[in-house]
Amino acid sequence: MSFGLKKSNIPTNLRGIFAGCGSLLNHPLMAPHVIALTGKSIRDVTLVYLGTASYDLPEKRQNQTSWFSDNGCTVISLDVVLNAPPTAYMEECIERADIILVSGGNTSFAMRRWRRLGLDTMMREACLGPRRVVMAGGSAGAICWWSGGHSDSMDPDSFKNAKLSSHGSDHDIDDEEGKTDNPDEDEDDVPKEWDYIRVDGLGFVPGLCCPHHDRIQSNGILRATDFDVMLLRHPTEVGICIDHNAAFMIDNANYSVLYPEGLEGSVMPDGSFSGDRLGKPCVWIKEVSNDGKTIIRTLCPNHGKLSDLLKIPEHIFQSIRHMKVAAKENPDDGPMRMSYPGFAAKSFFGGNVVKELLDVMNESAGNEEED
């Protein structure tokens, strides 16, 4: 066992699915696994989509939720970037959720925004409380549920102003689903100057999550390589390294590794790692050796007990300086109160509007007028 880690108190009542790519859980071979975790028929399931990390852009929402709505699931988008809905409305949305699906995008921004609005506390009660709401998401939507993650939140192209000015029309790694060609890896492009950073998550699942583990982004650096360097700076944590086309699913005390057949990944037939994605999608488990000098990399079995993989860190080394820089470069300057009346819960792609949520909004608007 690596230093600073212990196996005791591993949670055994969680339900969640965490993908390497933001749009992977919308894949027709992957989305049914998300629904199955609820134990309900899809037409009885309500999915609350948090697109905060991608600034509530509708294009991203469709890329990550359309399968669910098309197949009868009620999808409610809780938009909080340009609006600050009343607390009662946000609580009602989260209380209705069977699944909370978080978008890909800028993890640092999403975490700061949720904390300002108190959404993190609502999500904790929903997912860790007796309702056991399913946690779901890819990329930033995977990182956010863990103790922390290997994040591209310092990529200027992921900043709020850049995304909103382009209205999501620019290239995004979360829009790539199983593609061999990756524009971020164009040999004619000059790598951009930005670094991956460790971002704190909600801490519902112990571990340091690395999505897109087998990908190179616009800074020209393979995430698998950079993650090893990061883990040496954070040796008390276990790395959960998820290939772009893979997902790590938790169902109570058990876990599974899922991926659609036919997509590329980093594990070769002999179990070795391929940084060129010549193998199948997979999940790797990484830890720092007892001497603190080397990384121990292990291929995660496709099924097993969660307690065999995860460990509770005795303490976590925070990246306070990096987080301060991220907050300065991409600030959360959104409102803290709803700035207009009549904000309504929307159910997209033909799903049913939840009447009770509209009633809450109307009541809140009436109260504000009386004040």
Side-chain angles (χ1 to χ4, degrees), residues 110-222:
M111 293 302 306
R112 286 181 276 116
R113 185 64 177 159
W114 294 342
R115 287 170 178 145
R116 284 187 72 199
L117 296 175
L119 260 174
D120 58 331
T121 302
M122 301 176 201
M123 295 163 74
R124 175 176 292 276
E125 175 60 28
C127 299
L128 302 187
R131 293 178 53 229
R132 298 171 59 240
V133 170
V134 173
M135 305 171 285
S139 190
I143 289 175
C144 68
W145 305 105
W146 296 77
S147 303
H150 184 266
S151 173
D152 58 5
S153 290
M154 286 303 298
D155 179 359
D157 291 337
S158 75
F159 292 175
K160 178 182 174 182
N161 289 340
K163 284 296 183 185
L164 293 183
S165 63
S166 67
H167 206 64
S169 61
D170 56 335
H171 169 72
D172 192 316
I173 192 170
D174 284 316
D175 296 331
E176 302 170 18
E177 186 179 293
K179 296 179 180 178
T180 300
D181 296 333
N182 184 352
D184 280 346
E185 299 179 43
D186 192 326
E187 293 181 358
D188 294 331
D189 288 343
V190 177
K192 298 179 180 180
E193 294 185 5
W194 59 268
D195 296 322
Y196 301 111
I197 61 171
R198 184 197 181 281
V199 172
D200 282 340
L202 293 165
F204 299 175
V205 190
L208 190 62
C209 178
C210 178
H212 310 291
H213 177 253
D214 56 339
R215 288 298 176 107
I216 297 173
Q217 292 185 229
S218 62
N219 60 4
I221 302 172
L222 178 65

Side-chain angles (χ1 to χ4, degrees), residues 301-352:
N302 285 339
H303 304 279
K305 294 290 185 182
L306 201 59
S307 59
D308 292 337
L309 296 185
L310 303 186
K311 301 179 180 70
I312 305 293
E314 294 181 356
H315 59 277
I316 293 176
F317 297 103
Q318 304 292 341
S319 298
I320 297 175
R321 181 178 63 85
H322 289 153
M323 294 305 297
K324 286 183 177 179
V325 172
K328 179 180 178 181
E329 295 295 323
N330 187 32
D332 169 22
D333 52 5
M336 288 305 296
R337 283 182 60 84
M338 184 178 68
S339 57
Y340 57 91
F343 180 85
K346 298 185 289 297
S347 183
F348 296 90
F349 317 117
N352 296 320

Side-chain angles (χ1 to χ4, degrees), residues 25-28 31-32 35 42 62 64-72:
L25 297 184
N26 200 43
H27 190 288
I35 297 296
I42 189 168
Q62 180 165 1
Q64 297 175 28
T65 65
S66 59
W67 183 94
F68 296 94
S69 290
D70 290 346
N71 285 275

Side-chain angles (χ1 to χ4, degrees), residues 7-43:
K7 285 192 174 184
S8 60
N9 301 320
I10 297 299
T12 59
N13 63 342
L14 301 179
R15 298 186 294 182
I17 183 165
F18 317 100
C21 169
S23 60
L24 188 67
L25 297 184
N26 200 43
H27 190 288
L29 297 179
M30 299 295 286
H33 292 287
V34 183
I35 297 296
L37 283 174
T38 69
K40 295 183 177 182
S41 168
I42 189 168
R43 295 191 178 275

Side-chain angles (χ1 to χ4, degrees), residues 287-305:
E287 298 181 68
V288 177
S289 62
N290 286 326
D291 62 9
K293 296 180 180 179
T294 58
I295 298 296
I296 302 170
R297 182 182 65 207
T298 306
L299 178 64
C300 182
N302 285 339
H303 304 279
K305 294 290 185 182

